[in-house]
Amino acid sequence: MSEYQKVDVVVEEKVNTYKDIALQIHGKPEVSNYEFFACETLSQQLKAEGFEIRTDVAGHRTGFTASYKSSKPGIVVVFLAEYDALQGIGHACGHNLFGSISALAAVAYKAYIGEVGGEVRVYGTPGEEGGENGSSKGSFVREGFFDDVDIALALHPSSDNGRTGKSLAVAPVDIEFFGKSAHASGQPEKGINALDSVIQVFNGVNALRQHVTDDVRIHGIITNGGEAPNVVPDYASARFYLRAKSRPALDELYTKFENIVKGAALQTGATYKFGLFQNSVDNVVPTPRFDDLFEAYLNTYGETIPDTPKKGAGSTDAGNVSQVVPTLHPQIRISDVPVAGHSIEFREAAKSELGLRSIDIGSRVLAKTALHLAEHPEELKAVKSQHHENVLHQ
């Protein structure tokens, strides 16, 4: 598979620039809705590469699109860029690398666009980790940014190489209870305890755990529990993540959870507000034919994917994209030893020599995978067909 030698030439020439960008973003971590430096740095670099840039898109002030269109007809390819950090720990998920990999892959793909035609885009999607106005890929899907897209590609840093895996759909929800304050000792009968309502929600969730499938995860925190122990709390709040293997399963869980909230309010006499505090996230629908191509090109650089399946599953808003177009979302190793995601060790690996090497290899492999489908319509058709079937039968 040496037919895309120009990809290697472009990456070789430009990779140090994108490594430097990754280190700059690593050194200035920004959380969801505040990734001003990362958005500006990546989008302006792509502008310098000849892409047309739009910022503040899909309702996200730190989102961007970068596009380059050939005069020749062809497919529309999107490379997904993430660049948000984790609160308090920085780039412990490696998104400083993620954004640089996708941007350089798009630049390498652009070198061939005169031959393959069509359009190449980078979507800068803030807040994958959640948070204020987080999980922006859901907004990009909802606002129609994928309506004319043929394939989407991304590559996530990890402690080992891996194929696109399934993930859990997640509903991030806030609950607020409103009661009535009173002296907790002198006149407790006049109070309505909002904190009791929150506690009843946790009790109800613990009871529900006996009657859900193994894929379900429900985890939450109390965000406000009152001000003083001698005052009946007239306000209390909590935040939960509800997770399940698929959107239909999550919708069913959401209804059960809301019934627990309603029941807690009835028990205490409080009123409540309940709902999503950011975009709901869909489960990832893998397309194995897409990953087969990725793995074949990865192997040409001496990298292999272990046979051992990964344990556990998290969530990613790439799942929202995978519901509407074939989406590649595999992993590339940035450490020689196992390191846990969202850890200090992972954060350090994201600026290591091996971490930066992932930009070099990852951008080449993503670009070549996309080019292969652009030049082989029958394989693209097979990928789309498999994706359609997998969405229907998830």
Side-chain angles (χ1 to χ4, degrees):
M1 293 186 179
S2 59
E3 66 268 39
Y4 302 123
Q5 292 177 345
K6 197 187 300 183
V7 166
D8 295 308
V9 172
V10 171
V11 171
E12 187 72 27
E13 176 188 340
K14 297 177 180 289
V15 68
N16 286 336
T17 297
Y18 289 86
K19 287 181 178 180
D20 185 55
I21 287 173
L23 288 174
Q24 290 180 50
I25 292 173
H26 189 281
K28 193 168 183 176
E30 301 163 304
V31 296
S32 179
N33 208 37
Y34 294 89
E35 309 102 323
F36 298 111
F37 175 78
C39 174
E40 175 77 5
T41 303
L42 285 167
S43 63
Q44 288 305 302
Q45 178 60 34
L46 287 166
K47 183 178 181 179
E49 302 280 10
F51 286 76
E52 181 181 340
I53 305 299
R54 290 175 56 206
T55 56
D56 191 9
V57 295
H60 295 268
R61 64 187 186 182
T62 51
F64 72 85
T65 63
S67 59
Y68 186 90
K69 190 171 185 178
S70 169
S71 59
K72 179 180 176 180
I75 69 172
V76 177
V77 173
V78 168
F79 295 94
L80 302 170
E82 296 173 8
Y83 36 83
D84 63 316
L86 289 153
Q87 185 74 47
I89 196 171
H91 279 286
C93 207
H95 291 174
N96 62 307
L97 301 170
F98 193 127
S100 288
I101 291 170
S102 288
L104 184 52
V107 171
Y109 184 96
K110 175 176 171 284
Y112 273 94
I113 203 164
E115 299 173 36
V116 300
E119 186 173 358
V120 56
R121 302 174 189 163
V122 178
Y123 286 169
T125 56
E128 190 277 336
E129 299 292 350
E132 183 180 308
N133 202 21
S135 302
S136 67
K137 293 184 192 66
S139 301
F140 276 69
V141 171
R142 184 177 61 250
E143 298 298 323
F145 283 76
F146 288 93
D147 289 355
D148 62 346
V149 172
D150 290 279
I151 54 173
L153 303 91
L155 186 53
H156 202 295
S158 179
S159 61
D160 210 342
N161 300 323
R163 291 165 66 96
T164 304
K166 293 182 178 180
S167 70
L168 300 177
V170 57
V173 296
D174 274 341
I175 313 163
E176 296 178 282
F177 286 102
F178 305 90
K180 183 180 179 182
S181 60
H183 195 293
S185 179
Q187 292 179 304
E189 72 281 1
K190 295 188 180 296
I192 297 175
N193 195 317
L195 178 58
D196 280 346
S197 303
V198 169
I199 291 170
Q200 289 305 318
V201 169
F202 278 86
N203 290 337
V205 166
N206 287 336
L208 178 63
R209 293 186 204 280
Q210 302 178 63
H211 307 290
V212 295
T213 51
D214 291 344
D215 57 284
V216 168
R217 300 287 186 271
I218 309 172
H219 38 104
I221 58 170
I222 297 174
T223 51
N224 190 312
E227 299 297 330
N230 62 341
V231 179
V232 174
D234 64 348
Y235 176 80
S237 60
R239 173 167 285 185
F240 279 84
Y241 279 4
L242 315 178
R243 303 185 198 254
K245 63 183 177 181
S246 66
R247 170 55 49 189
L250 180 60
D251 290 342
E252 183 178 343
L253 176 64
Y254 189 98
T255 299
K256 290 179 179 178
F257 186 88
E258 186 171 14
N259 285 337
I260 290 173
V261 174
K262 291 177 182 178
L266 285 171
Q267 288 179 75
T268 61
T271 57
Y272 73 92
K273 288 183 180 178
F274 170 72
L276 297 169
F277 64 84
Q278 63 185 52
N279 283 326
S280 187
V281 171
D282 289 337
N283 54 295
V284 169
V285 179
T287 306
R289 283 181 177 271
F290 210 166
D291 280 89
D292 289 345
L293 276 176
F294 164 80
E295 186 171 4
Y297 281 109
L298 183 69
N299 292 162
T300 65
Y301 293 98
E303 293 288 330
T304 58
I305 294 177
D307 294 330
T308 309
K310 291 189 175 182
K311 295 181 179 180
S315 304
T316 171
D317 60 359
N320 297 59
V321 180
S322 77
Q323 298 284 334
V324 294
V325 297
T327 302
L328 186 72
H329 192 267
Q331 298 84 47
I332 188 164
R333 69 186 182 98
I334 65 170
S335 174
D336 285 326
V337 296
V339 289
H342 295 198
S343 67
I344 292 173
E345 293 79 12
F346 200 99
R347 181 188 68 194
E348 296 307 297
K351 65 176 182 178
S352 68
E353 184 177 344
L354 186 56
L356 294 173
R357 178 175 175 265
S358 72
I359 300 171
D360 193 345
I361 294 177
S363 60
R364 298 174 195 241
V365 175
L366 285 189
K368 291 184 178 184
T369 301
L371 284 165
H372 187 101
L373 290 178
E375 286 204 320
H376 296 85
E378 72 289 349
E379 292 191 44
L380 176 61
K381 183 178 179 180
V383 164
K384 288 186 171 183
S385 177
Q386 185 179 63
H387 169 258
H388 179 71
E389 286 300 311
N390 290 351
V391 170
L392 289 178
H393 299 104
Q394 59 184 304

